[in-house]
Amino acid sequence: MKNSPTIARLVRRTEQWRHAGPENAPPKEAPVLRPRALTSADLIGDGRRRPKVIVVGSGYAGLGVLQYLEARLPAHAADLALVSPVDHLLYTSLLPQVAAGDIEPRHLAVSVRGTLRRTVSHLGHVTEIDPAARNVTVLSRAGVPFTLAWDRLVLAPGAHTRTFDIPGLAEHGLGMKNLAEAVFLRDHVLRQMAYADAAVHEAERRAHCTFVVVGAGYTGTELAAQMRRFTMKALAQFPRLRSDQVRWLLLDLAPKVLPELDEHLGIGASRVLRERGVEVRLKTSVQQVRPDSVTLTSGEVIATHTLVWCAGVTPNPLVSSFGAETVRGRLVVDERFRVPGHAGMFALGDAAAVPDSTRGGVPAGQTAQNAVRQGTAAGRNIAASLGYGAMHPYQHRDLGFVVDLGGADAVANPVGLRLSGLPAAVVTRAYHLLALKAGTNRAYVAADWLLGALMKPRTVQLGFLPPPHATIAQVEQTELYQA
């Protein structure tokens, strides 16, 4: 709340009053930070102009930094700029519900321009960082490169789908990392059911109605549970298909579902998956992918035209492109988000290994919860580097996790309280609405859930097709960072 656009506007007004004269000074509770004496570590730039802060990435981490700086820094303290290939923050936690048709795609996109007021937004990808010249090269969405100079550079470019060198995966696997992939998957599943409905042979019908999800983590588990529910409801529109012909499989090399979360969540999610009819294959993955089949590590060949890859994420390749130290692809930073050896450079979010001082310096997890808190904490430290306030190490207290399995099914452990079923579903939906950040988006998503509970599902295809020979790398545009 304290970093909302409304508060930011109040801050700007109080700043105007402060400059208008002492009789109009802002009240003591105004959140604007007071300047302090600069040290030699703060003096970056020529000292004759306002320093420029460039933030790369419009996710929770990057947007959180800019919200803090807009709300807490006086307008004259710095020029703010954002570089991102999209003009919105995507609430990725609900992407499985976009694929399942429960939420309209636009309702998960929080407008950057509606959230920020002082920040100049540049649409494009940062493809090169020059720490010596203190500039970045940006490739615009029109394909035209340009450079931007910075005094503070904040790297929060997020992550991409992590893939492995499995034959056929790059060519035939589908991802679940952005809106395009979620909407395309929904259309793809409906197309496969339409093909099956028109097929003559039983084997052909079953192949089109078999869907394989790899990765029993947060995204894969939610996707398998919700898409199974979606296809069962969609059967009413395909009179020649039977429920026993529709098959969903969830694979993972781990020994349990949701291996990275509380055991209670994994057990509860496994129970719902079994009740829904999802086949869970643990200690199993994919050995080869073909257009019409997948071969499992067990040697079993499954006839299918659909493989969805949800086996984790990897940091954006940008962070390893300029010679800074990385660990498992994540940029090494100190507890105050500073990149060692690169003055004025900060990093956070999925692309940075941020030490958590509450856990003995172990890097914080790649979760939305961490990204949100890091945005505020990093914003505070960046303001301190400009002479406003003091730096503090990042500290994180786990508030628990929520896993939405569709309908009235969910598992959650808020602040250690173990919930399942309807109570967990209520907590899960409330958490998602709170985390959405924008009132308009909250209203639309709540309306989507209400209408979904009262109305029959819409099973029409929207006509979304991928580019010719599209791959996960092309859809997520990771080829821009390849040398």
Side-chain angles (χ1 to χ4, degrees), residues 38-80:
L38 292 171
T39 67
S40 58
D42 298 321
L43 296 176
I44 300 174
D46 59 17
R48 295 185 300 273
R49 58 174 173 78
R50 285 189 295 188
K52 186 167 186 177
V53 179
I54 293 181
V55 176
V56 179
S58 61
Y60 272 105
L63 196 61
V65 167
L66 288 168
Q67 284 182 301
Y68 184 94
L69 295 178
E70 282 201 358
R72 300 302 182 90
L73 277 185
H76 60 81
D79 291 327
L80 307 177

Side-chain angles (χ1 to χ4, degrees), residues 14 25 41 181 200 206 239 288-289 296 312 323 342 381 395 432-433:
T14 55
E181 291 174 318
V200 175
R206 289 185 178 274
Q288 185 176 31
V289 185
L296 306 186
H342 297 281
N381 290 347
Q395 297 180 338
H432 286 315
L433 290 179

Side-chain angles (χ1 to χ4, degrees), residues 1-9 11 31 63-72 115-116 372-373 375-377 379-380 437:
M1 284 294 292
K2 64 183 179 182
N3 293 324
S4 68
T6 302
I7 296 298
R9 286 193 293 271
V11 169
L63 196 61
V65 167
L66 288 168
Q67 284 182 301
Y68 184 94
L69 295 178
E70 282 201 358
R72 300 302 182 90
T115 303
L116 304 175
V372 170
R373 297 191 186 184
T376 300
R380 180 188 304 115
K437 281 185 173 286

Side-chain angles (χ1 to χ4, degrees), residues 66 166 398:
L66 288 168
I166 297 173
D398 189 1

Side-chain angles (χ1 to χ4, degrees), residues 37-379:
L38 292 171
T39 67
S40 58
D42 298 321
L43 296 176
I44 300 174
D46 59 17
R48 295 185 300 273
R49 58 174 173 78
R50 285 189 295 188
K52 186 167 186 177
V53 179
I54 293 181
V55 176
V56 179
S58 61
Y60 272 105
L63 196 61
V65 167
L66 288 168
Q67 284 182 301
Y68 184 94
L69 295 178
E70 282 201 358
R72 300 302 182 90
L73 277 185
H76 60 81
D79 291 327
L80 307 177
L82 169 68
V83 182
S84 173
V86 295
D87 65 349
H88 60 265
L89 176 154
L90 175 59
Y91 189 65
T92 55
S93 298
L94 290 178
L95 278 179
Q97 297 199 29
V98 172
D102 292 334
I103 295 177
E104 291 299 314
R106 286 187 305 160
H107 300 169
L108 296 189
V110 179
S111 171
V112 166
R113 297 184 183 278
T115 303
L116 304 175
R117 291 293 183 267
R118 285 163 40 195
T119 301
V120 177
S121 181
H122 300 275
L123 283 177
H125 293 264
V126 172
T127 57
E128 184 179 350
I129 298 171
D130 188 338
R134 307 183 73 78
N135 63 42
V136 295
T137 300
V138 182
L139 183 67
S140 73
R141 295 307 298 265
V144 179
F146 61 93
T147 61
L148 294 173
W150 52 268
D151 297 291
R152 302 291 187 279
L153 179 63
V154 185
L155 298 175
H160 297 293
T161 299
R162 179 183 61 185
T163 58
F164 299 98
D165 190 20
I166 297 173
L169 174 61
E171 295 80 11
H172 308 299
L174 303 177
M176 182 53 54
K177 196 70 179 66
N178 57 40
L179 285 174
E181 291 174 318
V183 176
F184 171 71
L185 176 62
R186 181 176 184 273
D187 269 17
H188 172 83
V189 168
L190 289 175
R191 274 195 293 273
Q192 296 306 311
M193 295 183 73
Y195 296 152
D197 190 60
V200 175
H201 302 291
E202 176 71 7
E204 185 180 359
R205 284 186 174 180
R206 289 185 178 274
H208 283 296
C209 285
T210 298
F211 309 97
V212 178
V213 179
V214 181
Y218 188 90
T219 301
T221 298
E222 287 195 337
L223 184 70
Q226 296 187 32
M227 290 302 289
R228 170 71 181 186
R229 178 173 177 267
F230 168 71
T231 49
M232 288 297 98
K233 294 168 70 175
L235 278 176
Q237 304 297 318
F238 300 97
R240 282 163 290 279
L241 295 182
R242 304 187 311 272
S243 60
D244 66 289
Q245 294 172 322
V246 180
R247 186 183 182 193
W248 281 87
L249 294 90
L250 178 63
L251 316 178
D252 201 300
L253 284 172
K256 59 182 181 179
V257 173
L258 298 173
E260 71 279 17
L261 302 184
D262 186 325
E263 184 177 5
H264 157 74
L265 301 181
I267 293 173
S270 296
R271 176 182 53 77
V272 174
L273 290 168
R274 288 195 304 270
E275 292 174 353
R276 293 265 174 93
V278 176
E279 299 178 37
V280 180
R281 305 283 189 91
L282 299 175
K283 300 181 181 180
T284 304
S285 189
V286 173
Q287 182 174 301
Q288 185 176 31
V289 185
R290 291 190 174 95
D292 56 358
S293 69
V294 297
T295 302
L296 306 186
T297 51
S298 63
E300 180 182 357
V301 178
I302 296 177
T304 179
H305 299 272
T306 308
L307 181 135
V308 189
W309 188 261
C310 301
V313 296
T314 186
N316 190 302
L318 173 67
V319 299
S320 59
S321 66
F322 60 95
E325 183 183 358
T326 60
V327 54
R328 302 182 67 177
R330 301 169 74 183
L331 199 59
V332 172
V333 298
D334 65 17
E335 292 180 339
R336 291 164 175 78
F337 306 97
R338 297 171 298 194
V339 180
H342 297 281
M345 190 182 296
F346 299 78
L348 65 156
D350 287 345
V354 180
D356 184 352
S357 60
T358 64
R359 301 172 57 204
V362 175
Q366 293 170 289
T367 65
Q369 190 178 135
N370 269 298
V372 170
R373 297 191 186 184
Q374 287 177 14
T376 300

